[in-house]
């Protein structure tokens, strides 16, 4: 079998020798032969197809770890994996496009304010999980908790009082990891049993409070709309009396499953908890 030098193979594969050395270290594209004394790498012609696939996938920005997974798949499954990757890229690009539009709107004219409502929430017992996650990891965290506690064996509360929600204790984006707390209300009498069943989760009380909220539809479940809702709540609170300053970090409650509903269906509220009203003595 004829073996090619790294320079000749790099030229045929449309890759640089530097890239080939990296791919060897990552076991993504291992040479057919490496001289044990000189360390010179030699490649075979039948490695060209894999090398060219690697080069093309890098041109569309696929991470090396994911490229290795694609290269090891049968052709049909590899095609589906590439298509799935690009669907994710386009979704991320749409989110970035929305954020850019939001920033341009904010910097030029000021962001559009959304309707704000206020409601009373009773004291509730919560089962919670606190996690450090980035924006890329929050969906997996959500699915994990929904699957774990949504099998029908964990008791819940009816209506808005029983809807699961996130508490954002810190910023969550590509670089910041919160932390964020996933919470699900449960009946008070179930606290002891759930604590024994889920020893890694926290059982705690959420005090009675008022909360200001902005309602979002399925169409509005984007980072840009979340930013707009947060700015709306901050502006609304600033315009109120001092007593209405927030009593805790922002929350987001999900009271409907966004899957299988129309884009205009309300599914979520972005929330700013508020302190109780201060009673005044009659003059």
């Amino acid at each position: 079998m004829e073996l090619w030098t790294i320079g000749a193979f790099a030229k045929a594969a449309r890759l640089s020798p530097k890239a080939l050395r990296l791919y060897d270290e990552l076991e993504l594209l291992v040479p057919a032969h490496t001289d044990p004394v000189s360390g010179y790498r030699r490649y075979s012609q039948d490695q060209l197809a894999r090398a060219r696939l690697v080069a093309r996938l890098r041109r569309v920005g696929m991470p090396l770890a994911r490229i290795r997974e694609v290269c090891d798949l049968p052709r049909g499954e590899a095609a589906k994996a590439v298509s799935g990757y690009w669907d994710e890229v386009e979704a991320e690009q749409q989110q970035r496009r929305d954020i850019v539009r939001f920033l341009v709107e904010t910097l030029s004219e000021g962001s559009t304010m959304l309707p704000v409502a206020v409601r009373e929430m009773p004291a509730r017992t919560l089962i919670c999980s606190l996690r450090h996650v980035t924006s890329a990891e929050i969906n997996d965290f959500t699915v994990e908790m929904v699957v774990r506690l949504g099998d029908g064996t964990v008791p819940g509360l009816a209506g808005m009082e029983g809807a699961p929600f996130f508490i954002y204790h810190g910023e969550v984006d590509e670089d910041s990891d919160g932390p964020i707390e996933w919470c699900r209300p449960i009946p008070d009498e179930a606290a002891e049993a759930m604590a024994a069943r889920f020893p890694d989760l926290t059982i705690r009380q959420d005090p009675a409070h008022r909360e200001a909220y902005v309602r979002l539809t399925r169409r509005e479940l984007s980072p840009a709309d979340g930013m707009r809702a947060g700015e709306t709540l901050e502006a609304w609170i600033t315009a109120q009396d001092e007593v209405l300053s927030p009593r805790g970090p922002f929350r987001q409650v999900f009271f409907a499953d966004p899957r299988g509903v129309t884009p205009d269906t309300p599914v979520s509220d972005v929330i700013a908890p508020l302190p109780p009203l201060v009673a005044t003595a009659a003059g």
Side-chain angles (χ1 to χ4, degrees):
M1 178 178 61
E2 179 185 1
L3 296 180
W4 296 5
T5 65
I6 190 171
F9 187 79
K11 183 176 181 180
R14 303 180 184 90
L15 289 166
S16 69
K18 179 180 178 181
L20 288 174
R21 295 186 189 99
L22 173 62
Y23 301 161
D24 181 14
E25 293 172 5
L26 298 175
E27 298 183 351
L28 174 60
L29 186 61
V30 179
H33 176 75
T34 301
D35 188 288
V37 178
S38 66
Y40 288 164
R41 297 170 172 84
R42 297 289 187 272
Y43 294 83
S44 64
Q45 185 171 357
D46 60 10
Q47 291 182 289
L48 269 179
R50 183 181 179 100
R52 287 174 177 167
L53 177 59
V54 171
R56 289 162 182 165
L57 292 175
R58 285 301 290 158
R59 288 192 65 181
V60 299
M62 184 178 286
L64 290 172
R66 194 154 181 178
I67 289 176
R68 180 163 58 184
E69 295 175 3
V70 171
C71 288
D72 290 338
L73 293 172
R75 292 178 64 88
E77 293 181 26
K80 292 178 182 178
V82 173
S83 178
Y85 165 74
W86 195 247
D87 287 344
E88 294 174 15
V89 170
E90 290 188 326
E92 291 173 1
Q93 286 296 98
Q94 180 61 53
Q95 289 186 353
R96 291 183 180 133
R97 189 177 298 113
D98 290 343
I99 292 173
V100 168
R101 288 173 180 164
F102 168 73
L103 291 172
V104 171
E105 172 188 312
T106 302
L107 293 171
S108 59
E109 302 174 356
S111 59
T112 302
M113 294 295 103
L114 302 172
V116 176
V118 177
R119 63 184 170 222
E120 299 281 344
M121 294 299 290
R124 297 169 294 174
T125 298
L126 305 177
I127 183 168
C128 308
S129 177
L130 185 69
R131 192 85 57 87
H132 286 273
V133 295
T134 64
S135 57
E137 299 165 332
I138 191 171
N139 185 64
D140 290 341
F141 179 34
T142 303
V143 171
E144 174 190 336
M145 298 309 300
V146 169
V147 169
R148 190 175 182 191
L149 300 181
D151 62 355
T153 64
V154 177
L157 304 179
M160 185 64 70
E161 296 176 9
F165 59 91
F166 278 119
I167 301 177
Y168 289 87
H169 296 284
E171 190 70 21
V172 177
D173 54 29
E174 290 81 358
D175 302 316
S176 303
D177 61 357
I180 187 173
E181 189 175 18
W182 189 92
C183 303
R184 178 180 163 183
I186 58 174
D188 296 343
E189 60 271 18
E192 185 175 349
M194 292 302 101
R197 180 176 171 185
F198 302 103
D200 59 314
L201 303 183
T202 300
I203 307 294
R204 64 178 181 83
Q205 287 295 309
D206 187 38
H209 62 276
R210 292 176 306 130
E211 54 189 31
Y213 65 93
V214 171
R215 181 147 293 178
L216 302 177
T217 65
R218 193 200 77 179
R219 190 198 312 275
E220 295 167 329
L221 291 182
S222 71
D225 288 306
M227 293 176 189
R228 184 175 288 107
E231 286 203 357
T232 293
L233 288 169
E234 289 176 351
W236 182 87
I237 290 168
T238 300
Q240 310 306 307
D241 294 335
E242 186 176 346
V243 72
L244 290 181
S245 58
R247 65 175 299 274
F250 280 114
R251 303 180 174 192
Q252 186 167 14
V253 62
F254 293 88
F255 52 82
D257 189 341
R259 298 171 298 180
V261 300
T262 64
D264 294 325
T265 300
V267 295
S268 178
D269 291 341
V270 177
I271 298 166
L274 304 171
L277 287 172
V278 177
T280 58

